[in-house]
Amino acid sequence: MLKVCDGTHLIDTVRDLDLRGIGFRSLTEGIDTTTSGATLVFHLFGTLAQFESDLIRERTRAGLSTAATRGRKGGCKAVVTTEKLKRAKMLIERGLTVREVAARIKVGKTALYEAIKSDASPDNQN
């Protein structure tokens, strides 16, 4: 089956091939752009794929907007809680490495680095 992620890209590619005198033939869908009828069907499929993609995008935006008005936001929950961050800073002050601290408080070292960095940013200072 012909899979179309971006209908306009596929149509542009077939149009570019046509300008160079090359026809497009899909063996599984029976589409042959060397005939005018098949070219029409091909462009209709491409347009429908683009329409479907636009609908999905609109629905996703609407859903995210609705969730935001309800106080919900996307993404994963923070792994490094305020309590874990306090404990991590205490352990680092005692001389442990970030890797050792991350293992003790059961978070990834990258997540711990990010939490320390964001906590030290000027926006979080009182």
Side-chain angles (χ1 to χ4, degrees):
M1 180 172 190
L2 185 64
K3 293 184 180 180
V4 180
C5 294
D6 182 0
T8 56
H9 175 70
L10 186 59
I11 290 171
D12 290 343
T13 302
V14 171
R15 188 175 292 135
D16 181 52
L17 290 171
D18 187 48
L19 291 174
R20 295 189 289 163
I22 302 169
F24 173 79
R25 181 181 296 164
S26 172
L27 300 176
T28 54
E29 282 79 21
I31 297 173
D32 181 359
T33 62
T34 58
T35 66
S36 57
T39 302
L40 172 66
V41 170
F42 174 78
H43 285 284
L44 283 172
F45 283 155
T47 303
L48 289 172
Q50 185 62 47
F51 176 70
E52 181 181 16
S53 177
D54 291 344
L55 279 178
I56 291 169
R57 192 175 302 112
E58 287 175 14
R59 289 175 182 156
T60 300
R61 285 187 185 134
L64 289 171
S65 176
T66 302
T69 59
R70 293 179 181 161
R72 295 177 163 224
K73 59 181 181 176
C76 298
K77 291 182 180 179
V79 176
V80 183
T81 63
T82 306
E83 190 59 39
K84 284 185 178 184
L85 184 58
K86 285 180 188 176
R87 184 164 178 241
K89 286 182 176 183
M90 181 186 68
L91 292 171
I92 290 170
E93 286 175 6
R94 289 184 182 173
L96 271 69
T97 66
V98 172
R99 181 182 299 254
E100 292 168 333
V101 171
R104 283 198 183 178
I105 64 172
K106 295 183 172 69
V107 298
K109 66 179 174 56
T110 305
L112 183 54
Y113 274 118
E114 287 297 319
I116 292 169
K117 180 181 170 184
S118 68
D119 190 57
S121 71
D123 295 341
N124 290 335
Q125 300 300 315
N126 292 333

